[in-house]
Amino acid sequence: MWRWCARLLDPFAHTDEVPSFQAVFSSLTILEVVAIAAQTYPHTPLSDAALAALTPSGRAPDLRITPAFLCGVTLNIAGAVLRAWSFKTLGVFFTGPVFIRRDQRLITTGPYAFVRHPSYTGALAVVVGPVLALFVSKGSYAAHALATDAWWSLPARAAFWALMGWRVVVTGYLLPRRALDEDRLLREE
């Protein structure tokens, strides 16, 4: 179970078993930029086609890239980079199950020189970033699109909140539990 959860949290996971949160976030971000560009440069064939495809009315009110959107995207990217750096620093000591190998040593370099659990810190950023970028940001296409009466809006909302709920469970419950298990094992050694 934990290995499956860890793959869901890994922004660089290559698996067909688990839907990637990063793929969903990246797709929404691309749609966001396309919708904002189409509204910013209206009355071109490409803009009209994009808005017609992305919004039921062919027009989305007041879409723009906001500081909250930029902060959320930055937080998401920083979290993914921090996680990747953590995995690279741990090297062969990065494992799904929590255990200590005979040849294992305490890692105090790389991100571990600054943060006790950098991979989990990065995971939190990867969860919070998209919410900030796409739903806290006024002028967000995602927030507008999910609030419309379009036929796909209700299933899209349900899928998004189910995915977010799962991420909250993993980040809010499983990661702290895993961190406590790791700390306990280190104290025992």
Side-chain angles (χ1 to χ4, degrees):
M1 173 70 173
W2 175 252
R3 187 168 291 159
W4 191 80
C5 296
R7 284 186 180 174
L8 193 68
L9 284 172
D10 179 3
F12 300 102
H14 300 289
T15 179
D16 295 329
E17 300 172 30
V18 181
S20 170
F21 186 75
Q22 285 301 107
V24 171
F25 175 66
S26 298
S27 299
L28 283 173
T29 302
I30 290 167
L31 290 175
E32 187 90 20
V33 171
V34 167
I36 291 169
Q39 184 165 318
T40 303
Y41 304 103
H43 309 299
T44 67
L46 195 53
S47 293
D48 292 341
L51 286 174
L54 296 174
T55 62
S57 66
R59 182 99 178 120
D62 198 26
L63 296 181
R64 64 194 181 284
I65 294 178
T66 64
F69 177 79
L70 294 174
C71 287
V73 169
T74 302
L75 190 60
N76 186 267
I77 292 169
V81 168
L82 182 59
R83 284 180 59 75
W85 186 20
S86 301
F87 300 155
K88 183 161 179 52
T89 301
L90 283 177
V92 297
F93 299 127
F94 175 76
T95 60
V98 177
F99 67 92
I100 295 179
R101 295 171 30 160
R102 286 184 193 194
D103 61 338
Q104 191 162 349
R105 64 192 186 296
L106 183 63
I107 305 294
T108 58
T109 59
Y112 293 89
F114 308 103
V115 180
R116 186 172 185 163
H117 294 286
S119 176
Y120 306 150
T121 303
L124 181 61
V126 166
V127 169
V128 172
V131 173
L132 182 62
L134 300 174
F135 295 96
V136 172
S137 173
K138 290 198 183 245
S140 164
Y141 165 72
H144 168 75
L146 291 180
T148 67
D149 292 332
W151 64 269
W152 51 265
S153 182
L154 184 59
R157 270 196 304 265
F160 174 79
W161 288 114
L163 187 57
M164 284 307 297
W166 174 245
R167 297 292 295 203
V168 166
V169 166
V170 170
T171 307
Y173 175 71
L174 294 177
L175 284 182
R177 185 173 154 203
R178 181 179 166 96
L180 290 172
D181 288 347
E182 289 174 359
D183 290 345
R184 179 185 46 77
L185 277 174
L186 286 172
R187 278 191 305 276
E188 290 173 1
E189 280 298 308

